Amino acid sequence: GGAIANAPMAVGSQINMSITNSWFMNNTSEEDGGAIWNYARTSSVINMTVTGGQFMGNAARHGGAVNNWAQGATSTIVFSGVEFFNNAVTSTGGAVRNLSELTNGNGTVTIENCSFTENEVNSHGGALVNSSVSNGVSVMNVRRCTMTNNTAASNGGAIYANSSTRNATNPVTASTTNVENCVFFANSSMGLGGAIFNEGLTGAPSTLNVTNCTFASNTASGGSGLSNSATSPATAPVNITNCVFWNNTFTSPTSALFNNVGTGATINVRNSSLQHATFASNETGTGAFNNLGGFIAGDPNFVNLALGDLQLEFYSACVDAGAVVALTVDIDGNARPQGAGFDMGAYEVAPIARPMAREPELVVDMFDASVFPNPTTGAFTLTLDREITGFVQVFDVQGRLVSTEQINGSNQTQLDLSAESSGIYLLRIVAGNEVLTKQVAVQRP
């Protein structure tokens, strides 16, 4: 504990601590917890809340900013609105590590509305580690957080979750990691799991639940988005619902978006957007992959991927395509759902951004247009009843943006859908505050 050490040692002893709007900068521990070390043992209790503030430039062996260790006791931390920046460790948990061990060892860490940026580790878990051993039960809840540019020299660019040593002597060892409404952007691992690595070892289950999260531009040797592993007879169930995976890259030619290894390793995917055309092309390994339906392939249409703005455009196929889940808000605190259903990913598209919900004064037909020929085999002309300066967007029936053409002081523009399949396309013509929609049918012999 470079700054604070909490260690109730006697049976039944308890420490309650609240930290508000405080900065922990450049603290160092040769062991665990660069800034804060919680160590509860022999049936003692630690309750801690950390609200606001920042942990920056702290360093340790485990838990660059905070190490929470429940050894046969209970230690609970709640983080809210905290920034973790540029913390580092030589072993596990670049920012925070949660470890539970021995009978009645219960460590719970809840992290809400926090950011983890440029934390790094020489082993596992660039930002977070949730771990249980020898009858310990660990729980980590990560809600409405951003994980950006965190790095791991081994596994889990942002998060590493594992559980180990469950047998007749240690029958309850388990870890559960719940991740909701979070963004994983540009995290990297030199090993497996560009964003998350989940692992069950020697009989102990490690359960990972990921709901309404966005994974973009993460990198790893294998499992660029997520890696999952189970060593028999352990289980490692991963449940992915309403998530978006796009532009994640892997360096191993035999790997893919998901790396899933071991007979007890299972990845269940429901109502999610995956980059490649088929579910099978996103996975590699010997574990079980289950497509539970609602799968979408193709570009999710982020507002600006290059700048890390992973909100969805209103015409994204991910809008209203999610399953019903027990979430009431998105990463920004906006209500879920809006429109006809839950959106995929961390962001819910606001009603004002949806075509049918725009303010009436913004959707007025003050000019007219015609399409010829219609139907067309591909090429056609859009003719307006006056010259305008603006643009025309072409969408398919699934809301995918096909093309955009500028209109510069003209009443006519040429468009070509020869590369697209037959079907109905929507033309959205915009000139200042004036918006007009037309349809064109593509029919080929």
PDB file of all heavy atoms in Angstrom, residues 373-380 417-418 420-425 440-445:
ATOM      1  N   PRO A 373     -34.001   5.880 -64.609  1.00  0.00           N
ATOM      2  CA  PRO A 373     -35.179   5.009 -64.613  1.00  0.00           C
ATOM      3  C   PRO A 373     -35.419   4.407 -63.234  1.00  0.00           C
ATOM      4  O   PRO A 373     -34.486   4.262 -62.442  1.00  0.00           O
ATOM      5  CB  PRO A 373     -34.804   3.925 -65.611  1.00  0.00           C
ATOM      6  CG  PRO A 373     -33.312   3.836 -65.511  1.00  0.00           C
ATOM      7  CD  PRO A 373     -32.834   5.229 -65.253  1.00  0.00           C
ATOM      8  N   ASN A 374     -36.630   4.038 -62.960  1.00  0.00           N
ATOM      9  CA  ASN A 374     -37.004   3.445 -61.683  1.00  0.00           C
ATOM     10  C   ASN A 374     -38.171   2.484 -61.913  1.00  0.00           C
ATOM     11  O   ASN A 374     -39.281   2.956 -62.210  1.00  0.00           O
ATOM     12  CB  ASN A 374     -37.416   4.526 -60.681  1.00  0.00           C
ATOM     13  CG  ASN A 374     -37.586   3.986 -59.268  1.00  0.00           C
ATOM     14  OD1 ASN A 374     -37.198   2.858 -58.970  1.00  0.00           O
ATOM     15  ND2 ASN A 374     -38.163   4.806 -58.408  1.00  0.00           N
ATOM     16  N   PRO A 375     -37.941   1.183 -61.916  1.00  0.00           N
ATOM     17  CA  PRO A 375     -36.742   0.449 -61.491  1.00  0.00           C
ATOM     18  C   PRO A 375     -35.553   0.665 -62.426  1.00  0.00           C
ATOM     19  O   PRO A 375     -35.712   1.075 -63.569  1.00  0.00           O
ATOM     20  CB  PRO A 375     -37.183  -1.018 -61.504  1.00  0.00           C
ATOM     21  CG  PRO A 375     -38.678  -0.982 -61.506  1.00  0.00           C
ATOM     22  CD  PRO A 375     -39.044   0.259 -62.237  1.00  0.00           C
ATOM     23  N   THR A 376     -34.359   0.326 -61.878  1.00  0.00           N
ATOM     24  CA  THR A 376     -33.123   0.453 -62.633  1.00  0.00           C
ATOM     25  C   THR A 376     -32.307  -0.818 -62.494  1.00  0.00           C
ATOM     26  O   THR A 376     -32.461  -1.555 -61.516  1.00  0.00           O
ATOM     27  CB  THR A 376     -32.302   1.651 -62.137  1.00  0.00           C
ATOM     28  OG1 THR A 376     -31.060   1.700 -62.828  1.00  0.00           O
ATOM     29  CG2 THR A 376     -32.010   1.540 -60.646  1.00  0.00           C
ATOM     30  N   THR A 377     -31.439  -1.052 -63.446  1.00  0.00           N
ATOM     31  CA  THR A 377     -30.510  -2.184 -63.339  1.00  0.00           C
ATOM     32  C   THR A 377     -29.247  -1.798 -62.584  1.00  0.00           C
ATOM     33  O   THR A 377     -28.407  -2.649 -62.300  1.00  0.00           O
ATOM     34  CB  THR A 377     -30.118  -2.693 -64.730  1.00  0.00           C
ATOM     35  OG1 THR A 377     -29.538  -1.614 -65.472  1.00  0.00           O
ATOM     36  CG2 THR A 377     -31.335  -3.234 -65.459  1.00  0.00           C
ATOM     37  N   GLY A 378     -29.113  -0.509 -62.271  1.00  0.00           N
ATOM     38  CA  GLY A 378     -27.944  -0.048 -61.518  1.00  0.00           C
ATOM     39  C   GLY A 378     -27.793   1.455 -61.555  1.00  0.00           C
ATOM     40  O   GLY A 378     -27.931   2.150 -60.551  1.00  0.00           O
ATOM     41  N   ALA A 379     -27.519   2.020 -62.743  1.00  0.00           N
ATOM     42  CA  ALA A 379     -27.311   3.456 -62.881  1.00  0.00           C
ATOM     43  C   ALA A 379     -28.652   4.175 -63.018  1.00  0.00           C
ATOM     44  O   ALA A 379     -29.589   3.676 -63.644  1.00  0.00           O
ATOM     45  CB  ALA A 379     -26.441   3.744 -64.090  1.00  0.00           C
ATOM     46  N   PHE A 380     -28.745   5.383 -62.406  1.00  0.00           N
ATOM     47  CA  PHE A 380     -29.953   6.181 -62.534  1.00  0.00           C
ATOM     48  C   PHE A 380     -29.622   7.651 -62.284  1.00  0.00           C
ATOM     49  O   PHE A 380     -28.536   8.001 -61.799  1.00  0.00           O
ATOM     50  CB  PHE A 380     -31.043   5.702 -61.571  1.00  0.00           C
ATOM     51  CG  PHE A 380     -30.688   5.806 -60.110  1.00  0.00           C
ATOM     52  CD1 PHE A 380     -31.040   6.922 -59.360  1.00  0.00           C
ATOM     53  CD2 PHE A 380     -29.992   4.780 -59.472  1.00  0.00           C
ATOM     54  CE1 PHE A 380     -30.717   7.011 -58.017  1.00  0.00           C
ATOM     55  CE2 PHE A 380     -29.653   4.864 -58.127  1.00  0.00           C
ATOM     56  CZ  PHE A 380     -30.018   5.982 -57.393  1.00  0.00           C
ATOM     57  N   LEU A 417     -25.849   1.943 -58.552  1.00  0.00           N
ATOM     58  CA  LEU A 417     -25.936   0.845 -57.588  1.00  0.00           C
ATOM     59  C   LEU A 417     -25.651  -0.499 -58.251  1.00  0.00           C
ATOM     60  O   LEU A 417     -26.141  -1.538 -57.808  1.00  0.00           O
ATOM     61  CB  LEU A 417     -27.333   0.834 -56.954  1.00  0.00           C
ATOM     62  CG  LEU A 417     -27.692   2.060 -56.106  1.00  0.00           C
ATOM     63  CD1 LEU A 417     -29.115   1.961 -55.593  1.00  0.00           C
ATOM     64  CD2 LEU A 417     -26.724   2.228 -54.945  1.00  0.00           C
ATOM     65  N   SER A 418     -24.835  -0.477 -59.298  1.00  0.00           N
ATOM     66  CA  SER A 418     -24.530  -1.713 -60.027  1.00  0.00           C
ATOM     67  C   SER A 418     -23.821  -2.733 -59.156  1.00  0.00           C
ATOM     68  O   SER A 418     -23.921  -3.943 -59.398  1.00  0.00           O
ATOM     69  CB  SER A 418     -23.668  -1.392 -61.261  1.00  0.00           C
ATOM     70  OG  SER A 418     -24.367  -0.551 -62.153  1.00  0.00           O
ATOM     71  N   GLU A 420     -24.457  -3.272 -56.043  1.00  0.00           N
ATOM     72  CA  GLU A 420     -25.344  -3.721 -54.978  1.00  0.00           C
ATOM     73  C   GLU A 420     -26.317  -4.767 -55.496  1.00  0.00           C
ATOM     74  O   GLU A 420     -26.560  -4.905 -56.693  1.00  0.00           O
ATOM     75  CB  GLU A 420     -26.115  -2.535 -54.387  1.00  0.00           C
ATOM     76  CG  GLU A 420     -25.226  -1.409 -53.871  1.00  0.00           C
ATOM     77  CD  GLU A 420     -24.319  -1.849 -52.745  1.00  0.00           C
ATOM     78  OE1 GLU A 420     -24.743  -2.712 -51.938  1.00  0.00           O
ATOM     79  OE2 GLU A 420     -23.180  -1.347 -52.669  1.00  0.00           O
ATOM     80  N   SER A 421     -26.908  -5.505 -54.571  1.00  0.00           N
ATOM     81  CA  SER A 421     -27.861  -6.547 -54.943  1.00  0.00           C
ATOM     82  C   SER A 421     -29.229  -5.947 -55.264  1.00  0.00           C
ATOM     83  O   SER A 421     -29.514  -4.792 -54.928  1.00  0.00           O
ATOM     84  CB  SER A 421     -27.990  -7.562 -53.807  1.00  0.00           C
ATOM     85  OG  SER A 421     -28.407  -6.922 -52.616  1.00  0.00           O
ATOM     86  N   SER A 422     -30.069  -6.713 -55.902  1.00  0.00           N
ATOM     87  CA  SER A 422     -31.421  -6.258 -56.223  1.00  0.00           C
ATOM     88  C   SER A 422     -32.197  -5.990 -54.939  1.00  0.00           C
ATOM     89  O   SER A 422     -32.029  -6.676 -53.929  1.00  0.00           O
ATOM     90  CB  SER A 422     -32.149  -7.310 -57.056  1.00  0.00           C
ATOM     91  OG  SER A 422     -31.512  -7.493 -58.302  1.00  0.00           O
ATOM     92  N   GLY A 423     -33.081  -4.970 -55.006  1.00  0.00           N
ATOM     93  CA  GLY A 423     -33.878  -4.640 -53.835  1.00  0.00           C
ATOM     94  C   GLY A 423     -34.281  -3.185 -53.831  1.00  0.00           C
ATOM     95  O   GLY A 423     -34.014  -2.432 -54.790  1.00  0.00           O
ATOM     96  N   ILE A 424     -34.927  -2.763 -52.722  1.00  0.00           N
ATOM     97  CA  ILE A 424     -35.365  -1.387 -52.556  1.00  0.00           C
ATOM     98  C   ILE A 424     -34.309  -0.597 -51.785  1.00  0.00           C
ATOM     99  O   ILE A 424     -33.783  -1.066 -50.768  1.00  0.00           O
ATOM    100  CB  ILE A 424     -36.710  -1.327 -51.802  1.00  0.00           C
ATOM    101  CG1 ILE A 424     -37.778  -2.119 -52.560  1.00  0.00           C
ATOM    102  CG2 ILE A 424     -37.157   0.116 -51.604  1.00  0.00           C
ATOM    103  CD1 ILE A 424     -38.099  -1.569 -53.930  1.00  0.00           C
ATOM    104  N   TYR A 425     -34.015   0.603 -52.272  1.00  0.00           N
ATOM    105  CA  TYR A 425     -33.045   1.479 -51.618  1.00  0.00           C
ATOM    106  C   TYR A 425     -33.700   2.827 -51.319  1.00  0.00           C
ATOM    107  O   TYR A 425     -34.564   3.305 -52.075  1.00  0.00           O
ATOM    108  CB  TYR A 425     -31.810   1.667 -52.495  1.00  0.00           C
ATOM    109  CG  TYR A 425     -30.995   0.396 -52.615  1.00  0.00           C
ATOM    110  CD1 TYR A 425     -31.331  -0.577 -53.547  1.00  0.00           C
ATOM    111  CD2 TYR A 425     -29.910   0.150 -51.780  1.00  0.00           C
ATOM    112  CE1 TYR A 425     -30.616  -1.756 -53.653  1.00  0.00           C
ATOM    113  CE2 TYR A 425     -29.181  -1.025 -51.878  1.00  0.00           C
ATOM    114  CZ  TYR A 425     -29.536  -1.976 -52.816  1.00  0.00           C
ATOM    115  OH  TYR A 425     -28.828  -3.142 -52.895  1.00  0.00           O
ATOM    116  N   VAL A 440     -35.785   3.930 -54.699  1.00  0.00           N
ATOM    117  CA  VAL A 440     -35.430   3.425 -56.005  1.00  0.00           C
ATOM    118  C   VAL A 440     -35.334   1.906 -55.920  1.00  0.00           C
ATOM    119  O   VAL A 440     -34.845   1.363 -54.906  1.00  0.00           O
ATOM    120  CB  VAL A 440     -34.097   4.039 -56.527  1.00  0.00           C
ATOM    121  CG1 VAL A 440     -32.944   3.697 -55.581  1.00  0.00           C
ATOM    122  CG2 VAL A 440     -33.801   3.563 -57.929  1.00  0.00           C
ATOM    123  N   ALA A 441     -35.826   1.234 -56.935  1.00  0.00           N
ATOM    124  CA  ALA A 441     -35.773  -0.229 -56.970  1.00  0.00           C
ATOM    125  C   ALA A 441     -34.701  -0.674 -57.946  1.00  0.00           C
ATOM    126  O   ALA A 441     -34.629  -0.208 -59.087  1.00  0.00           O
ATOM    127  CB  ALA A 441     -37.127  -0.786 -57.380  1.00  0.00           C
ATOM    128  N   VAL A 442     -33.835  -1.580 -57.484  1.00  0.00           N
ATOM    129  CA  VAL A 442     -32.814  -2.176 -58.351  1.00  0.00           C
ATOM    130  C   VAL A 442     -33.292  -3.567 -58.749  1.00  0.00           C
ATOM    131  O   VAL A 442     -33.541  -4.429 -57.880  1.00  0.00           O
ATOM    132  CB  VAL A 442     -31.461  -2.242 -57.629  1.00  0.00           C
ATOM    133  CG1 VAL A 442     -30.429  -2.969 -58.500  1.00  0.00           C
ATOM    134  CG2 VAL A 442     -30.961  -0.853 -57.265  1.00  0.00           C
ATOM    135  N   GLN A 443     -33.440  -3.771 -60.037  1.00  0.00           N
ATOM    136  CA  GLN A 443     -33.874  -5.062 -60.557  1.00  0.00           C
ATOM    137  C   GLN A 443     -32.928  -5.501 -61.644  1.00  0.00           C
ATOM    138  O   GLN A 443     -32.656  -4.753 -62.579  1.00  0.00           O
ATOM    139  CB  GLN A 443     -35.301  -4.981 -61.110  1.00  0.00           C
ATOM    140  CG  GLN A 443     -36.364  -4.723 -60.057  1.00  0.00           C
ATOM    141  CD  GLN A 443     -37.764  -4.676 -60.653  1.00  0.00           C
ATOM    142  OE1 GLN A 443     -37.950  -4.819 -61.861  1.00  0.00           O
ATOM    143  NE2 GLN A 443     -38.762  -4.488 -59.799  1.00  0.00           N
ATOM    144  N   ARG A 444     -32.427  -6.714 -61.538  1.00  0.00           N
ATOM    145  CA  ARG A 444     -31.543  -7.246 -62.573  1.00  0.00           C
ATOM    146  C   ARG A 444     -32.163  -8.490 -63.195  1.00  0.00           C
ATOM    147  O   ARG A 444     -32.882  -9.229 -62.515  1.00  0.00           O
ATOM    148  CB  ARG A 444     -30.177  -7.593 -61.947  1.00  0.00           C
ATOM    149  CG  ARG A 444     -29.461  -6.333 -61.455  1.00  0.00           C
ATOM    150  CD  ARG A 444     -27.969  -6.569 -61.304  1.00  0.00           C
ATOM    151  NE  ARG A 444     -27.330  -5.339 -60.899  1.00  0.00           N
ATOM    152  CZ  ARG A 444     -27.222  -4.933 -59.635  1.00  0.00           C
ATOM    153  NH1 ARG A 444     -27.693  -5.669 -58.670  1.00  0.00           N
ATOM    154  NH2 ARG A 444     -26.652  -3.784 -59.345  1.00  0.00           N
ATOM    155  N   PRO A 445     -31.886  -8.700 -64.478  1.00  0.00           N
ATOM    156  CA  PRO A 445     -32.451  -9.879 -65.155  1.00  0.00           C
ATOM    157  C   PRO A 445     -32.050 -11.168 -64.447  1.00  0.00           C
ATOM    158  O   PRO A 445     -30.953 -11.270 -63.920  1.00  0.00           O
ATOM    159  CB  PRO A 445     -31.862  -9.789 -66.561  1.00  0.00           C
ATOM    160  CG  PRO A 445     -31.447  -8.374 -66.721  1.00  0.00           C
ATOM    161  CD  PRO A 445     -31.048  -7.882 -65.365  1.00  0.00           C
TER     162      PRO A 445
END
